[in-house]
């Protein structure tokens, strides 16, 4: 009998990729829960909606009665919590909604799952997967890596809200015995990512011959992971991870922001040369690299993240399957092939403007 998973944040970037992989590879029944905020989009679930094992529910993870009803109705063997406000710049401008979703929402899910798990209907192998970020660990120096034992030291309202959610999740295991597992991932990239994040923002701005804004000196370093690899890692933790434990999921791929922008420009030049781009021709710009522009840094900008993912490799056999250049090429090609999706995304309030500079509107 197929497992039933409730996947929260299922219409977002990572959640939608996870849903489609789970339907394809696990023959799972998926109940997709999403509030459909600015970054949640039913179009992200194209294909999944035709699967008989898929059902979509519009709703908020902070709605306790709704969550309890879903648990009672579907009796899932897992909740996989991708639901989150996730953009650091937005958290600088409007931290309250990050607390509401990331902290209160996670708490609401945990409370509902506590009653469900210790009731009469939950499968004994039920799991709660808290999907988190490496940003909770704070900033690294020029050497070293985040491990599962690294103390939390968040530096933005976003990372602070995720750290709080992780602590609640861990406390529900320690205090109540709720079978919680936590994953902390590095920077994701790939299809369906909302264009406020670095890689899709650079792609779409370059296509329009707009300046490519790079924060500070561009030397802030992140560890990059292709979204499909991350989702497969979450699946392994769901199936074989040990309740109460944390697992770091990293791409083993450190790149500075300026290196990422340079790589995006190189792939664009190969797939859609500047000499063939009407916007570039009209603007008199010869190369995508000429669009690079260094701008005022983000407040509290962490200098370096790097994940040690050896535990999940050694214990669960997972490792990332995509090298950065390969994954980036797939990503750029997806955006080039899906410009209608990009236009629809930008038909709302978001216009790829700069966020996260307090006092500067």
């Amino acid at each position: 009998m197929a497992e039933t998973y409730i996947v929260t944040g299922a219409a977002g970037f990572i959640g939608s990729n996870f849903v489609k992989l789970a339907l394809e590879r696990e023959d799972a029944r998926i109940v997709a829960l999403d509030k459909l905020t600015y970054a949640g989009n039913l179009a992200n679930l194209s294909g999944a909606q035709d699967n008989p094992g898929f059902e979509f529910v519009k709703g908020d993870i902070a709605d306790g009665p709704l969550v309890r009803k879903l648990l009672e109705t579907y009796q899932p063997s897992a909740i996989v919590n991708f639901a989150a406000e996730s953009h650091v710049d937005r958290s600088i401008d409007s931290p309250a909604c990050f607390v509401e979703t990331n902290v209160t929402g996670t708490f609401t899910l945990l409370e509902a799952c506590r009653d469900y798990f210790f009731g009469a209907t939950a499968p004994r192998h039920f799991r709660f997967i808290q999907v988190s970020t490496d940003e909770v660990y704070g900033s690294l120096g020029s050497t070293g890596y985040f491990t599962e034992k690294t103390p939390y030291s968040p530096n933005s309202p976003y990372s602070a809200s995720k750290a709080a959610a992780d602590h609640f999740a861990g406390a529900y295991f320690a205090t109540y015995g709720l079978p919680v597992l936590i994953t902390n991932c590095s920077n994701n990239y790939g299809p369906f990512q909302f264009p406020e994040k670095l890689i899709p923002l650079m792609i779409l701005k370059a296509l329009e011959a707009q300046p490519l804004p790079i924060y500070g000196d561009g030397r802030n370093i992140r560890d990059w992971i292709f979204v499909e690899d991350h989702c497969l890692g979450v699946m392994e933790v769901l199936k074989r991870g040990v309740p109460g434990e944390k697992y770091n999921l990293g791409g083993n791929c450190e790149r500075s922001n300026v290196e990422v922008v340079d790589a995006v420009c190189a792939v664009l030049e190969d797939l859609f040369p500047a000499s063939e781009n009407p916007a570039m021709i009209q603007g008199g710009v010869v190369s995508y690299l000429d669009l690079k522009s260094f701008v005022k840094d983000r407040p509290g900008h962490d200098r370096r993240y790097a994940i040690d993912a050896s535990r999940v490799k050694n214990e669960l056999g997972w490792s990332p399957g995509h090298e950065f250049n390969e994954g980036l090429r797939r990503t750029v090609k997806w955006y080039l092939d899906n410009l209608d999706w990009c236009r629809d995304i930008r038909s709302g309030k978001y216009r790829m403007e700069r966020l996260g500079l307090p006092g500067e509107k």
Side-chain angles (χ1 to χ4, degrees), residues 254-282:
E254 291 184 57
R255 297 287 190 281
S256 70
N257 287 345
V258 72
E259 287 176 323
V260 171
V261 175
D262 287 346
V264 168
C265 290
V267 176
L268 276 172
E269 192 61 49
D270 185 42
L271 296 179
F272 187 32
S275 60
E276 299 175 10
N277 182 339
M280 296 286 282
I281 295 169
Q282 183 177 357

Side-chain angles (χ1 to χ4, degrees), residues 169-212:
Y172 268 63
F173 172 79
T175 304
Y176 304 113
L178 186 69
V180 170
L181 301 98
I182 301 171
T183 63
N184 297 87
C185 71
S186 55
N187 276 35
N188 280 235
Y189 68 99
F192 296 103
Q193 189 170 32
F194 193 81
E196 65 190 359
K197 298 299 178 71
L198 178 64
I199 288 177
L201 183 66
M202 295 301 106
I203 295 169
L204 297 184
K205 280 186 173 291
L207 291 176
E208 296 179 1
Q210 295 185 30
L212 306 181

Side-chain angles (χ1 to χ4, degrees), residues 176-323:
Y176 304 113
L178 186 69
V180 170
L181 301 98
I182 301 171
T183 63
N184 297 87
C185 71
S186 55
N187 276 35
N188 280 235
Y189 68 99
F192 296 103
Q193 189 170 32
F194 193 81
E196 65 190 359
K197 298 299 178 71
L198 178 64
I199 288 177
L201 183 66
M202 295 301 106
I203 295 169
L204 297 184
K205 280 186 173 291
L207 291 176
E208 296 179 1
Q210 295 185 30
L212 306 181
I214 303 169
Y215 292 173
D217 63 4
R219 300 299 172 185
N220 299 75
I221 292 172
R222 298 295 181 263
D223 176 17
W224 292 90
I225 185 170
F226 191 59
V227 64
E228 181 179 302
D229 292 334
H230 176 207
C231 292
L232 291 173
V234 172
M235 286 182 189
E236 287 302 315
V237 172
L238 172 60
K239 289 187 291 184
R240 301 196 293 119
V242 177
E245 297 296 328
K246 295 170 80 270
Y247 297 90
N248 283 349
L249 301 172
N252 191 29
C253 176
E254 291 184 57
R255 297 287 190 281
S256 70
N257 287 345
V258 72
E259 287 176 323
V260 171
V261 175
D262 287 346
V264 168
C265 290
V267 176
L268 276 172
E269 192 61 49
D270 185 42
L271 296 179
F272 187 32
S275 60
E276 299 175 10
N277 182 339
M280 296 286 282
I281 295 169
Q282 183 177 357
V285 185
V286 175
S287 167
Y288 291 114
L289 289 171
D290 294 336
L291 297 171
K292 290 194 302 182
S293 173
F294 291 88
V295 300
K296 184 176 181 179
D297 205 358
R298 166 193 288 162
H301 197 179
D302 290 335
R303 191 61 174 175
R304 174 174 172 259
Y305 301 153
I307 273 187
D308 177 354
S310 59
R311 179 185 190 186
V312 70
K313 179 180 180 180
N314 294 335
E315 295 183 12
L316 305 183
W318 174 90
S319 59
H322 292 80
E323 186 271 333

Side-chain angles (χ1 to χ4, degrees), residues 292-358:
K292 290 194 302 182
S293 173
F294 291 88
V295 300
K296 184 176 181 179
D297 205 358
R298 166 193 288 162
H301 197 179
D302 290 335
R303 191 61 174 175
R304 174 174 172 259
Y305 301 153
I307 273 187
D308 177 354
S310 59
R311 179 185 190 186
V312 70
K313 179 180 180 180
N314 294 335
E315 295 183 12
L316 305 183
W318 174 90
S319 59
H322 292 80
E323 186 271 333
F324 182 70
N325 290 333
E326 172 202 357
L328 184 62
R329 186 178 182 87
R330 282 184 57 181
T331 301
V332 173
K333 186 176 188 309
W334 185 89
Y335 281 92
L336 289 172
D337 291 343
N338 290 274
L339 292 178
D340 287 344
W341 179 91
C342 299
R343 280 189 288 268
D344 289 344
I345 284 289
R346 294 168 56 196
S347 66
K349 185 177 180 181
Y350 182 63
R351 293 289 188 274
M352 301 197 301
E353 68 273 19
R354 175 76 190 268
L355 304 170
L357 288 175

Side-chain angles (χ1 to χ4, degrees), residues 118-140:
F118 293 106
T121 61
R124 290 301 90 192
H125 62 288
F126 174 80
R127 298 288 184 267
F128 182 101
I129 308 296
Q130 168 67 6
V131 180
S132 190
T133 171
D134 58 0
E135 297 196 34
V136 298
Y137 296 126
S139 187
L140 282 168

Side-chain angles (χ1 to χ4, degrees), residues 57-77:
V57 177
K58 182 179 179 181
D60 188 344
I61 61 170
D63 182 344
L66 172 63
V67 173
R68 292 171 189 276
K69 181 180 179 181
L70 294 178
L71 290 168
E72 178 184 348
T73 301
Y74 295 102
Q75 298 184 18
S77 57

